[in-house]
Amino acid sequence: MANFLFVLRHNDNEKATRCFQFAKIAHSKGHKVNMFLIDSGVDWAMKGQDGSIKTDTGDCPNDYLPYLIEQEVETGVCTPCAKNRNLDEANFHPNMLLDGGPHLIDMAAEAKVFNF
């Protein structure tokens, strides 16, 4: 099976929906999946983020994100991006942890990378 890394860098409903959708598909097919949230994408680490807004295709982040959380898909959250937005790791989803650029680069070196 392949190794995939999905990087979300926008607090954008459509981009988050696609990122989480493809991560779910890859994981459900048995591939190794990691996610990494950077820039304003770190907002998606927070519990309570509104993931119910539908895209033009009728789906939304809440259609996919709960699966990724339940399956404990490892998700790194850029430490400086989160700290500069005053995001508290205690309020992150349980599969999401503060992480840094060096680990992102190590994961990217061994994975097919999708950027959203």
Side-chain angles (χ1 to χ4, degrees), residues 37 42-51 62 65 69 77 87-96:
L37 309 177
V42 298
D43 291 336
W44 288 99
M46 298 295 290
K47 297 174 189 170
Q49 177 81 355
D50 186 4
N62 283 352
L65 184 56
I69 295 166
V77 180
L87 303 183
D88 183 355
E89 190 175 26
N91 296 318
F92 288 1
H93 294 288
N95 64 317
M96 301 184 184

Side-chain angles (χ1 to χ4, degrees), residues 1-42:
M1 298 317 271
N3 185 8
F4 291 100
L5 173 61
F6 295 88
V7 180
L8 177 61
R9 61 177 298 246
H10 297 280
N11 182 3
D12 175 278
N13 188 61
E14 288 187 349
K15 291 179 183 198
T17 299
R18 290 306 146 240
C19 179
F20 300 151
Q21 177 189 24
F22 292 126
K24 178 185 177 184
I25 291 169
H27 187 270
S28 67
K29 292 177 74 65
H31 297 291
K32 173 154 179 39
V33 172
N34 288 92
M35 294 192 308
F36 204 94
L37 309 177
I38 61 171
D39 298 329
S40 65
V42 298

